[in-house]
Amino acid sequence: MDNTMPILLVPGLVSSPRIYAPVIPALWRFGPVTVANHIRDDNMGAIARRILAEAPPRFALAGHSMGGYIAFEIMRQAPERVAKLALINTQARPDTPEATARRRGMIERAKAGDYRGVLDDLFPGFVHPSRREDASLRQLVHDMGEDVGAEAFIRQLTAVIGRPDSRPALAWIKCPTLVLTGDEDNTIPNSLSSEMANGIPGAKLVVLPNCGHLPQPEQPQACADALVAWLRD
């Protein structure tokens, strides 16, 4: 009997399919893998609707960072289509005023032509402190930035600023859920992962050691192992 399950992966802010490349071979054994395109709209509702229109009828859903915000919106719109949920280095809370102000500053810089400078400023918060001089990870962030482009980056930031508070919806998530984070995520603190795991019935929390905000390239084997265990459960 064919027990394969389509797997839908949603990247984060200024991330492209490259972010999932280190773990896709391990996931692909469990079913066809699709990386969602999340760069075409400037609000969460529209992003989720478009992804759902292109997605398989039923799938395992993993969202990283901004992709987690999109995953929550997919759960609001079509929970019956999500067989399993993985929330990777993300949070359920809405933007704080301080975060919104930072994002508006990034939008202005990107509009003014300093998109590359914004990526350079984001990088230290994306990786574990021990990896801040890692040239390959910095290149990955720049390559993904080129994949996304400044105009889509601005759309993404606009969507992130306007996202709703997903905490009230946590208790309604009924599918098997993995909450995955790093021990030193300096973009979204892992305390917010604990908050999600505590709010979702039966959720499993995994904290990867020596890992920042980008577990797929920072700790590819441990990240893949956690996602494989989630698909097997």
Side-chain angles (χ1 to χ4, degrees):
M1 188 171 71
D2 182 5
N3 290 320
T4 59
M5 168 65 68
I7 302 155
L8 180 64
L9 308 175
V10 190
L13 177 70
V14 80
S15 285
S16 73
R18 297 176 198 260
I19 194 66
Y20 284 107
V23 300
I24 283 176
L27 308 184
W28 173 79
R29 295 197 301 270
F30 294 87
V33 178
T34 303
V35 181
N37 182 321
H38 65 330
I39 67 174
R40 297 167 291 184
D41 300 285
D42 65 359
N43 69 87
M44 290 296 167
I47 293 170
R49 281 191 295 275
R50 202 193 290 248
I51 289 173
L52 281 164
E54 297 169 348
R58 190 165 161 81
F59 48 86
L61 174 64
H64 174 229
S65 192
M66 177 190 176
Y69 311 154
I70 297 166
F72 281 127
E73 184 61 36
I74 288 172
M75 292 298 295
R76 278 188 283 272
Q77 292 186 20
E80 73 285 351
R81 293 179 60 185
V82 180
K84 295 172 180 279
L85 177 64
L87 299 165
I88 304 170
N89 293 73
T90 189
Q91 62 175 321
R93 297 186 176 205
D95 237 22
T96 63
E98 296 78 11
T100 293
R102 285 196 303 272
R103 296 189 208 283
R104 294 200 188 284
M106 288 190 280
I107 287 172
E108 292 310 309
R109 288 177 63 190
K111 286 180 175 177
D114 191 27
Y115 180 46
R116 186 175 180 87
V118 172
L119 297 179
D120 276 327
D121 288 349
L122 285 170
F123 178 74
F126 277 170
V127 296
H128 188 273
S130 67
R131 309 292 289 275
R132 286 180 180 165
E133 304 305 317
D134 189 318
S136 64
L137 282 175
R138 184 178 291 271
Q139 187 62 50
L140 171 66
V141 169
H142 278 289
D143 288 345
M144 293 195 299
E146 289 297 315
D147 294 338
V148 170
E151 290 184 4
F153 176 61
I154 291 167
R155 287 194 291 273
Q156 289 186 325
L157 285 170
T158 303
V160 169
I161 288 169
R163 75 185 187 277
D165 188 345
S166 292
R167 285 173 293 178
L170 295 177
W172 298 99
I173 296 174
K174 302 304 183 189
C175 62
T177 301
L178 167 68
V179 179
L180 181 66
T181 186
D183 61 345
E184 289 198 55
D185 185 338
N186 292 306
T187 294
I188 300 178
N190 61 34
S191 60
L192 300 179
S193 291
S194 298
E195 178 180 72
M196 291 188 299
N198 290 334
I200 298 170
K204 178 182 180 182
L205 175 65
V206 175
V207 181
L208 301 182
N210 194 30
C211 186
H213 189 61
L214 308 179
Q216 305 95 320
E218 288 188 76
Q219 295 294 344
Q221 188 61 56
C223 182
D225 289 348
L227 290 168
V228 164
W230 162 68
L231 289 171
R232 281 189 172 139
D233 283 348

